[in-house]
Amino acid sequence: RIIHRPFLKKQCGACHVAGQAVTPMVKKKNTVDETMPKKIRWFRDAHSVADRHWVLLTADEVDDVLIYKTWADSSRAPLQKITLPSLGGLPTKENDGKPPVIRNVRVQDVRRGISTTATIAWETDEFTDALVAYGRGNLNSSKSTHQLSREHQVILAGLDKGEKYTFQVTSVDLFGNQSQSATLSFATDKSFLLDEERHEASRRAGNEVEVEYQLFRQGGNYLIVFEAERPVSLAIGVPQEDAATATRRGPELEDANQTHPVLKSEMQTSMLVCDSCHGGYLKGSVSHPVNILPKPGMVIPKEYPLLADGRISCMSCHVYHGGNFEYRLLKADKKGLCTGCHTDY
């Protein structure tokens, strides 16, 4: 019912590049790696802002090549490739036999709405996984994440309103050394949000982010340790074989000598090109934030498309060429659109 004007007028070049190569969106001093895979399958969970990241991958998850990218606000490094050697030739990290030290366990927020959630946060002195056991009186429920970190957040969902919950956090390092906190409690009778410091260093403008990595063997797994000059976010992926995406190809061209026009990148067609006509939307507060990852623990329904690395774009809420609802939204009303992801809205 509502058609995007450039599409209606067949002005495809307004959003797509026709018949010419696309200039990579990197700083001029960077060079494009011609050996980089054309298609990459990004693991859904990106690592949040930190100056060090530990990534544990099973040999089944990766083949010979691993792709990673880092970003710190507007400073974004080009894609990088790691050629993985055989596990047998890699060094291992030594087990110091000491359990991790758990610090600053806290209830970071309680949010009440259609559903009630609570975010439990804490820090450890080494990289560990995270588990929260919780319940009303008994610790008979649990929520965990196996992503290694020193700053932990676990969101407890589906809580009852007006109740008192007890909880205990557990952190286990690579070698099975574990620590548990004391049993603490919180109530869901009202909402609150702690005012906490953010990673100010990640907001600094500057040169390209420099990242180094080391490879280790951890049993039958690869352990990759990334170190950056300042806090960055990290996304990991693997090359995707052409056969996996063959079903997504368009119809054959009538003229076999023709080639399909080169398209702009997903980042451009899903977000940057929008601002060229709808100026100011990406910079102001009149629209939902874009170019960000969903908050930890948030489940994004499949009908809300995300960028390959899990970031939200303009096209997470709008339809590209045309739709049946105002502003080409995915849902008939704005509240229905919001509650698809913000279940406590």
Side-chain angles (χ1 to χ4, degrees):
R1 188 170 64 87
I2 299 175
I3 307 298
H4 194 210
R5 184 178 295 273
F7 183 71
L8 181 65
K9 293 181 173 294
K10 298 183 180 180
Q11 296 171 341
C12 301
C15 299
H16 302 277
V17 179
Q20 61 185 27
V22 180
T23 302
M25 293 181 60
V26 295
K27 294 180 182 294
K28 290 183 179 180
K29 66 178 182 180
N30 296 331
T31 57
V32 179
D33 185 354
E34 297 295 339
T35 66
M36 190 66 67
K38 301 300 182 185
K39 295 185 180 295
I40 300 168
R41 177 175 64 83
W42 297 101
F43 298 142
R44 184 63 181 266
D45 294 329
H47 295 250
S48 56
V49 179
D51 56 1
R52 299 187 71 198
H53 297 276
W54 284 26
V55 179
L56 192 65
L57 296 171
T58 67
D60 293 335
E61 290 180 282
V62 295
D63 195 359
D64 298 327
V65 174
L66 190 69
I67 309 299
Y68 73 91
K69 59 182 172 182
T70 56
W71 64 94
D73 284 350
S74 60
S75 299
R76 192 172 302 274
L79 298 184
Q80 299 292 334
K81 180 170 61 176
I82 300 175
T83 301
L84 296 172
S86 63
L87 278 171
L90 293 175
T92 59
K93 280 193 168 291
E94 295 295 328
N95 182 3
D96 61 8
K98 297 179 180 179
V101 176
I102 294 175
R103 303 188 182 98
N104 194 22
V105 181
R106 60 203 183 274
V107 182
Q108 193 164 280
D109 63 53
V110 171
R111 300 174 185 267
R112 293 181 54 187
I114 297 174
S115 66
T116 300
T117 64
T119 303
I120 311 299
W122 70 98
E123 288 88 45
T124 49
D125 66 335
E126 57 179 305
F127 284 83
T128 70
D129 63 10
L131 180 143
V132 178
Y134 66 99
R136 291 182 294 179
N138 297 319
L139 305 178
N140 52 7
S141 298
S142 66
K143 181 72 179 295
S144 64
T145 172
H146 297 292
Q147 190 177 91
L148 298 172
S149 181
R150 293 182 297 189
E151 298 182 2
H152 309 279
Q153 279 190 340
V154 175
I155 295 179
L156 311 180
L159 304 178
D160 295 323
K161 298 179 181 179
E163 296 288 345
K164 181 179 179 180
Y165 285 84
T166 56
F167 71 95
Q168 183 181 53
V169 308
T170 300
S171 288
V172 182
D173 67 15
L174 284 171
F175 307 100
N177 304 312
Q178 75 171 36
S179 292
Q180 290 182 320
S181 71
T183 301
L184 304 170
S185 64
F186 65 91
T188 58
D189 56 340
K190 60 181 179 180
S191 300
F192 71 86
L193 174 64
L194 292 183
D195 186 16
E196 299 197 346
E197 272 190 47
R198 299 186 179 272
H199 289 277
E200 293 298 331
S202 69
R203 300 182 181 182
R204 295 189 322 226
N207 296 326
E208 203 173 87
V209 182
E210 294 186 6
V211 180
E212 297 180 349
Y213 67 87
Q214 291 179 288
L215 293 170
F216 297 91
R217 173 170 55 88
Q218 182 63 32
N221 304 322
Y222 286 97
L223 172 65
I224 307 102
V225 176
F226 295 90
E227 295 193 26
E229 59 184 351
R230 63 182 188 269
V232 297
S233 297
L234 170 77
I236 300 289
V238 292
Q240 187 174 26
E241 295 183 4
D242 290 341
T245 57
T247 58
R248 297 177 59 188
R249 293 175 184 165
E252 296 294 330
L253 295 170
E254 293 181 6
D255 183 351
N257 295 322
Q258 282 185 310
T259 58
H260 192 283
V262 178
L263 302 181
K264 290 185 179 179
S265 69
E266 181 187 42
M267 164 76 83
Q268 289 172 300
T269 56
S270 296
M271 186 159 42
L272 297 183
V273 73
C274 306
D275 197 53
S276 64
C277 292
H278 306 281
Y281 274 73
L282 301 187
K283 304 177 182 63
S285 58
V286 294
S287 185
H288 189 286
V290 293
N291 200 24
I292 61 169
L293 293 167
K295 68 179 183 180
M298 176 177 280
V299 177
I300 306 297
K302 290 184 178 179
E303 63 262 32
Y304 295 79
L306 302 175
L307 296 182
D309 61 358
R311 281 176 296 148
I312 296 168
S313 74
C314 302
M315 293 302 112
S316 297
C317 296
H318 299 271
V319 182
Y320 283 96
H321 296 144
N324 289 324
F325 309 125
E326 188 179 21
Y327 304 118
R328 306 191 333 277
L329 293 175
L330 294 175
K331 299 291 180 71
D333 64 283
K334 292 181 181 178
K335 184 172 182 179
L337 185 73
C338 297
T339 54
C341 300
H342 302 274
T343 56
D344 57 349
Y345 178 73

